[in-house]
Amino acid sequence: MPIPALMIALAALAGPAAPPPANDQIIVRGHSWAPFISPMGEPFRAHAVTDNTLAIWFHQADRNRDGWLTIDEMQADAGRFFATLDGNGDREIEPDELIDYEWEVAPDVQVNARTRKPPAEAVAAKAREAASGKARPTDDALNDVGRRLRNDRNDDGLQGAARYALLNMPEPVAAADTNFDRDVTLREFEAAAAARFQLLDSGNDGKIALADLEQQLASAMAAGRAHKRGKKDPDARIGTPLQ
């Protein structure tokens, strides 16, 4: 059989070729877009433009699947995440484990980390860059001064985890250390979960719906973009102030 005919026959046996994915179906590495960082500091990363990372966390925490998040569920979810950070199982997040969290689990909480865009916004920005023919320089191509200047332009008045979270806490895991002994105990972490639930429970009825949190997240991001703190302005945000 001639080679062209053989190729046609093999293609027929393989079936029709899969169509290329639409732009909104392209799967990329999760860390290339802005994550959602839960009230206790756990990052949830999108792998597709349509992923709702806030909803992914909410449905995970809503253990009985009734559509409401309660304080008990919030604390239980905090305990689950605490166990993943407590590497040696001694019921404390020690300084070295906190470093692992900040550098390996959620490097997005680092104050000097580059601010990432949400999936749809990132894809749109990349498309605009491609259309203009002007590619954005990579971090490796920027010197330290240039990187800091770009961070200052992009932080929208928020820092660390606050750029991707419901609450304005730059480092939500370390913020649970209420006695400042540099160790976060399980009791402290669960107490922080209860306190943060109260902050999110806008109706003060002991339960929170996903729609409420989506509205709060949109408001938090809008407020961050609307106001940037001056160098001499006091930092009145929730959590440990950054001076």
Side-chain angles (χ1 to χ4, degrees):
M1 180 182 295
I3 291 179
L6 178 60
M7 294 176 63
I8 293 171
L10 290 175
L13 289 175
N23 287 338
D24 61 351
Q25 295 175 322
I26 295 175
I27 305 300
V28 300
R29 295 174 62 190
H31 61 73
S32 64
W33 293 329
F36 168 71
I37 296 184
S38 78
M40 299 311 300
E42 184 174 9
F44 288 80
R45 306 187 186 281
H47 293 274
V49 176
T50 54
D51 284 352
N52 183 338
T53 46
L54 168 58
I56 292 171
W57 167 72
F58 181 91
H59 293 308
Q60 171 185 280
D62 177 20
R63 293 194 167 193
N64 63 2
R65 303 295 188 269
D66 66 349
W68 297 97
L69 184 64
T70 65
I71 192 168
D72 290 340
E73 289 173 327
M74 181 97 159
Q75 289 182 302
D77 193 62
R80 175 199 56 76
F81 182 49
F82 182 94
T84 68
L85 300 179
D86 180 18
N88 59 10
D90 64 352
R91 298 170 69 86
E92 291 185 352
I93 300 173
E94 298 163 336
D96 58 335
E97 291 167 335
L98 188 61
I99 290 172
D100 185 65
Y101 164 71
E102 294 174 351
W103 285 89
E104 301 296 335
V105 178
D108 318 84
V109 306
Q110 297 175 30
V111 174
N112 291 327
R114 179 170 63 88
T115 302
R116 300 185 183 278
K117 297 178 182 295
E121 185 178 339
V123 169
K126 193 169 184 179
R128 288 194 298 270
E129 288 174 3
S132 67
K134 296 179 180 179
R136 189 176 199 173
T138 63
D139 282 344
D140 292 338
L142 297 171
N143 58 32
D144 290 341
V145 174
R147 187 179 295 110
R148 285 197 298 271
L149 289 174
R150 191 177 71 179
N151 289 338
D152 290 341
R153 290 197 301 272
N154 291 344
D155 68 5
D156 289 338
L158 302 172
Q159 296 187 42
R163 295 171 293 179
Y164 314 112
L166 290 157
L167 298 174
N168 203 340
M169 294 182 180
E171 215 291 29
V173 174
D177 178 19
T178 52
N179 64 0
F180 304 106
D181 66 351
R182 301 181 68 230
D183 287 340
V184 181
T185 66
L186 178 58
R187 179 173 294 182
E188 285 178 318
F189 210 63
E190 291 176 339
R196 294 171 195 182
F197 179 89
Q198 299 294 343
L199 293 172
L200 297 172
D201 182 14
S202 57
N204 295 315
D205 53 5
K207 58 183 182 180
I208 307 172
L210 175 59
D212 295 333
L213 296 182
E214 289 176 333
Q215 183 175 0
Q216 289 185 45
L217 184 61
S219 298
M221 296 300 102
R225 288 190 293 269
H227 173 69
K228 291 190 177 183
R229 184 170 62 97
K231 291 183 178 179
K232 296 184 179 180
D233 293 343
D235 188 349
R237 294 174 295 178
I238 298 169
T240 306
L242 294 178
Q243 301 298 338

